[in-house]
Amino acid sequence: MLDRFTMPLTHRPLATIARHLNNRQITPDQVTLTAFLVGMSALPLLAFEYYFLALIAILVNRLGDGLDGALARLSGQQSDAGGFIDIGLDFVFYAAVVLGFALANPAQNALAAALLLFAFIGTGTSFLAFAIAAKARNVERPNFPQKAFYYLEGLTEGTETVVALVLFCLFPQYFPWLAGLFAAACMITATTRLWGGYWTLR
């Protein structure tokens, strides 16, 4: 819901960092993989309840997620392969963070984590399935033309997900409530994407 407003705000700072990386011959794929590895360190950090360190790992991951695309556009290295590995690793990272909270306190967090993972399946599959059909039909993407695939909007997008992950780390004692609320929002997103996507393609 908020990505169309937040993405333009990040273009200039990301482009500045991307220029420095490009001058050092760092590739977008290297940024993607490095950000993923840093982000995955949040899993053991959360499991051992090092929430502040996990938050840093999460934010570095999200920075890298925006930076690899900026670098790809700057260096002319945009590709379907890069877009594929980027989104694929994103979903693995999101699931790892939720799993980390379940491991931190199974008795308190496991059910909420399972519910959130269920909701993530809905948002992720509806998002990616529509992207495949949209590419086959050359559906235009007016709000996010820089994306490697059709970016299907919804109530919960990248911005909302980052905010949710930050809140989880800042208030881990309230994870069941926060995760439940975010899962509900994700399920609304999956429903509207399935409905809207179906009628768009039809």
Side-chain angles (χ1 to χ4, degrees):
M1 182 175 68
L2 298 177
D3 282 3
R4 69 170 68 185
F5 305 109
T6 58
M7 283 186 175
L9 300 177
T10 64
H11 283 170
R12 182 172 295 180
L14 288 176
T16 300
I17 301 172
R19 281 195 295 272
H20 290 291
L21 296 178
N22 191 51
N23 291 338
R24 290 164 175 76
Q25 299 184 327
I26 295 173
T27 68
D29 286 349
Q30 289 173 334
V31 174
T32 299
L33 292 173
T34 300
F36 173 70
L37 292 174
V38 173
M40 288 300 291
S41 71
L43 173 56
L45 289 171
L46 289 168
F48 289 102
E49 301 184 70
Y50 294 113
Y51 296 113
F52 180 73
L53 293 176
L55 175 58
I56 293 174
I58 289 168
L59 293 177
V60 170
N61 173 273
R62 294 297 82 202
L63 173 62
D65 183 57
L67 190 55
D68 56 6
L71 181 57
R73 291 187 291 274
L74 177 67
S75 60
Q77 298 182 56
Q78 287 179 284
S79 68
D80 288 341
F84 165 74
I85 196 68
D86 181 37
I87 191 65
L89 294 181
D90 277 352
F91 281 107
V92 173
F93 161 74
Y94 291 144
V97 171
V98 177
L99 176 60
F101 278 97
L103 294 174
N105 190 336
Q108 174 183 287
N109 295 342
L111 181 58
L115 179 63
L116 185 52
L117 288 174
F118 167 76
F120 277 174
I121 292 294
T123 56
T125 53
S126 59
F127 179 89
L128 296 175
F130 184 83
I132 294 169
K135 185 175 180 63
R137 293 190 175 203
N138 294 315
V139 177
E140 294 184 4
R141 20 178 203 177
N143 293 324
F144 305 97
Q146 76 280 9
K147 289 291 186 180
F149 43 83
Y150 192 99
Y151 195 87
L152 187 61
E153 299 172 75
L155 179 61
T156 56
E157 299 171 347
T159 301
E160 291 81 8
T161 303
V162 172
V163 170
L165 298 184
V166 170
L167 289 175
F168 294 165
C169 291
L170 293 178
F171 306 103
Q173 68 274 27
Y174 298 117
F175 175 81
W177 292 101
L178 294 171
L181 288 172
F182 191 59
C186 286
M187 285 186 273
I188 292 171
T189 299
T191 301
T192 56
R193 280 178 174 169
L194 289 168
W195 177 263
Y198 174 80
W199 287 107
T200 298
L201 295 171
R202 181 164 179 171

